[in-house]
Amino acid sequence: MDWRKLIHPNPKTSAGKPEVKETRLSVEFLLGLFAAGWTEEKVLEKYPALTSEKLCATLAGADSQLVSSIANPELQEIIDRIKE
């Protein structure tokens, strides 16, 4: 998966922070949801413009050290799917 097609900086909506294409959700915000204990199912339910593919792209494009510091088993399952 080429995450660069789905994640890009948008200075108009997120002060230049990387965000998911066709949403106003920043990578930082989504990682924060997982850090707070949210599941993939809950994130996708709450934000219908976000697809599983876009969520995987978010994690693929995020800093690996930052992602690994988030203690959420659901997050690790998604990362493992990306690697397959």
Side-chain angles (χ1 to χ4, degrees):
M1 163 193 318
D2 184 4
W3 60 267
R4 290 169 193 86
K5 292 180 181 179
L6 298 172
I7 307 298
H8 61 93
N10 188 343
K12 293 181 181 179
T13 59
S14 58
K17 294 178 182 176
E19 68 178 33
V20 181
K21 189 175 183 176
E22 299 171 352
T23 75
R24 298 180 109 183
L25 303 172
S26 72
V27 171
E28 179 182 36
F29 172 75
L30 291 169
L31 290 175
L33 295 178
F34 282 101
W38 283 43
T39 64
E40 177 182 14
E41 181 180 357
K42 185 174 180 180
V43 172
L44 294 175
E45 181 180 304
K46 179 72 175 170
Y47 300 100
L50 187 65
T51 63
S52 185
E53 180 185 22
K54 290 176 182 178
L55 185 56
C56 287
T58 299
L59 300 176
D63 179 83
S64 61
Q65 287 183 332
L66 175 62
V67 172
S68 66
S69 72
I70 298 173
N72 182 327
E74 178 90 10
L75 186 58
Q76 190 57 51
E77 289 176 21
I78 299 168
I79 292 167
D80 290 343
R81 278 200 329 250
I82 294 168
K83 292 178 182 178
E84 293 175 352

